[in-house]
Amino acid sequence: MRGFWRRNDATAAAAALWKFRTLSTATACRAVVLPRFGGPEVLEFRSSVGVPDLKPQEVLVRARAISINPLDLRVRSGYGRSIFEPLLPLILGRDVSGEVAAVGALVSSLVLGQEVFGALHPTAVRGTYADYCILSEEELSVKPSSVSHVEASAVPFAALTAWRALKCTARISKGQRLLVLGGGGAVGLAAIQLAVAAGCSVSTICGSKSIERVMEVGAEEAIDYKTEDVHLAIKGQFDAVLDTIGGPEAERIGVNHLKKGGHYMTLQGEAASFADRYGLVIGLPAATAILLKKKLQYHYSHGIEYGWTYMRADAEGLDEVRRLLEAGKMKIPVEKTFSIAEVRQAHEAKEKRLVHGKVVLELD
């Protein structure tokens, strides 16, 4: 009996402590649910969706702003179905900015009520299109007071995608040259700003609507692919190429303008598309074989490193992004905001390219 009471006392103490680590006891909230794949019309705004219990290293965030990423539109349309279809219904969304509403027992760096921003991994099943989102401690950082929730929500997923390519793979350093194919998108803009902050010179290929924007964030050269001969316009060779566009022509341009020992990194890897086409058992090994073949091919033919790159949570990367945000050296312009109840209109605006820049969902 003595052991039983000791256990009960410990449980009571833990429960008492937990009360001081919770601002919200929400068990349900509003959320946008994807019950099946399709167009914007399949998205369902529901008034009551369950909020799971927190694990020890997780944080419950009261969302104030959520940005829409191209990945959201692709997953909604069926991209990654080999992974996501058995898990339907899903909640889309990767980026979020809001306040800490509750923390798990092992969370030490964040406190209740703190304004935070961050991003989930690309394969997360319960995304951020909800009043309350759950992220791990390492997926969040303190939001600088100098930026709004709308501004902060537009940054982390794109910036961490660029961070992984430039800092973890290419390991760019001061004095090096970077070429960004598709510099006008969120990942491209983030890559330019990360490289400039590291002391690199940056050239980029983009559309005419993005020329002014990429120059404002630090690109030294911007080439309009619609009006210029890209092959003639690109001057010199580069230490790294980040390809946000994909396709044989973009790959050819990137590979042929790299120095020996340089890194070509594309966001358009084929792992998910092959898995969707052939199933996980056949598709993933087939994609791995193609990646290995290209690595060997370009290593021997051009003396370069070839790779597919994806976003991954990185506490060090997010901390640098926070510092750059705070210093005014990282910004992804937001062109239009919608309420979360208008999510279908927001997806349609991005899908039909009615809005050129970032779109953000706001939550009241």
Side-chain angles (χ1 to χ4, degrees):
M1 288 296 289
R2 189 175 299 167
F4 171 80
W5 285 112
R6 275 202 298 267
R7 284 193 296 273
N8 270 358
D9 289 346
T11 302
L17 177 62
W18 179 249
K19 291 179 182 178
F20 293 100
R21 297 172 66 81
T22 307
L23 283 180
S24 170
T25 55
T27 57
C29 69
R30 299 178 304 168
V32 176
V33 173
L34 179 72
R36 64 189 185 281
F37 301 119
E41 71 281 354
V42 303
L43 296 171
E44 296 181 2
F45 178 65
R46 297 182 183 177
S47 60
S48 183
V49 174
V51 177
D53 293 334
L54 289 182
K55 295 176 183 177
Q57 292 181 316
E58 290 182 335
V59 179
L60 183 68
V61 176
R62 173 64 170 97
R64 298 300 177 184
I66 305 151
S67 85
I68 293 177
N69 287 291
L71 179 64
D72 301 343
L73 276 66
R74 295 179 72 187
V75 171
R76 189 210 69 221
S77 300
Y79 175 77
R81 67 169 63 242
S82 58
I83 299 170
F84 293 119
E85 192 163 33
L87 304 172
L88 290 172
L90 304 174
I91 296 177
L92 297 177
R94 297 297 174 262
D95 287 317
V96 66
S97 183
E99 299 104 29
V100 175
V103 294
L106 299 181
V107 173
S108 59
S109 64
L110 299 171
V111 298
L112 300 180
Q114 206 165 28
E115 292 190 331
V116 293
F117 75 112
L120 288 164
H121 188 273
T123 57
V125 175
R126 192 185 192 281
T128 57
Y129 286 15
D131 282 323
Y132 287 94
C133 315
I134 296 175
L135 294 87
S136 67
E137 183 177 14
E138 70 170 7
E139 292 172 329
L140 290 166
S141 184
V142 176
K143 180 185 77 65
S145 59
S146 56
V147 299
S148 69
H149 284 301
V150 167
E151 291 168 325
S153 72
V155 173
F157 190 83
L160 287 172
T161 302
W163 162 272
R164 186 179 181 201
L166 301 185
K167 295 298 188 78
C168 299
T169 302
R171 300 186 182 278
I172 59 169
S173 58
K174 186 175 181 179
Q176 290 189 322
R177 299 187 72 210
L178 170 70
L179 175 62
V180 179
L181 307 181
V187 176
L189 286 170
I192 293 169
Q193 292 170 91
L194 284 168
V196 169
C200 299
S201 62
V202 184
S203 297
T204 184
I205 299 170
C206 58
S208 55
K209 292 181 179 179
S210 300
I211 296 289
E212 185 177 348
R213 184 172 291 176
V214 299
M215 297 300 285
E216 283 178 354
V217 299
E220 294 183 6
E221 180 185 35
I223 300 165
D224 184 350
Y225 70 91
K226 292 183 178 179
T227 62
E228 299 182 65
D229 185 323
V230 172
H231 294 278
L232 295 176
I234 298 175
K235 304 296 189 240
Q237 291 187 305
F238 298 85
D239 299 282
V241 173
L242 177 59
D243 178 6
T244 73
I245 301 168
E249 181 61 17
E251 185 172 307
R252 186 159 43 248
I253 291 169
V255 166
N256 288 333
H257 286 88
L258 269 174
K259 297 177 182 178
K260 284 193 180 298
H263 288 264
Y264 170 87
M265 302 153 292
T266 178
L267 302 184
Q268 309 303 329
E270 300 185 73
S273 59
F274 266 66
D276 289 345
R277 193 181 310 166
Y278 303 113
L280 288 170
V281 174
I282 296 174
L284 287 181
T288 302
I290 288 174
L291 175 60
L292 181 59
K293 179 182 177 181
K294 285 196 172 187
K295 279 180 174 289
L296 292 172
Q297 172 190 332
Y298 286 127
H299 178 75
Y300 288 109
S301 66
H302 290 70
I304 64 168
E305 300 298 324
Y306 173 96
W308 300 341
T309 189
Y310 307 93
M311 179 272 187
R312 180 178 292 171
D314 188 304
E316 181 187 354
L318 190 57
D319 189 55
E320 179 169 341
V321 170
R322 177 193 60 77
R323 292 197 302 270
L324 291 174
L325 263 176
E326 200 163 33
K329 296 180 178 180
M330 173 65 70
K331 183 177 182 180
I332 308 297
V334 175
E335 187 167 333
K336 190 172 179 61
T337 62
F338 293 83
S339 74
I340 190 171
E342 298 172 315
V343 65
R344 289 182 179 178
Q345 295 95 307
H347 269 237
E348 186 174 359
K350 286 303 295 180
E351 197 158 77
K352 294 183 176 180
R353 299 188 177 181
L354 303 176
V355 179
H356 178 60
K358 262 284 187 180
V359 168
V360 169
L361 302 175
E362 291 189 274
L363 297 94
D364 52 28

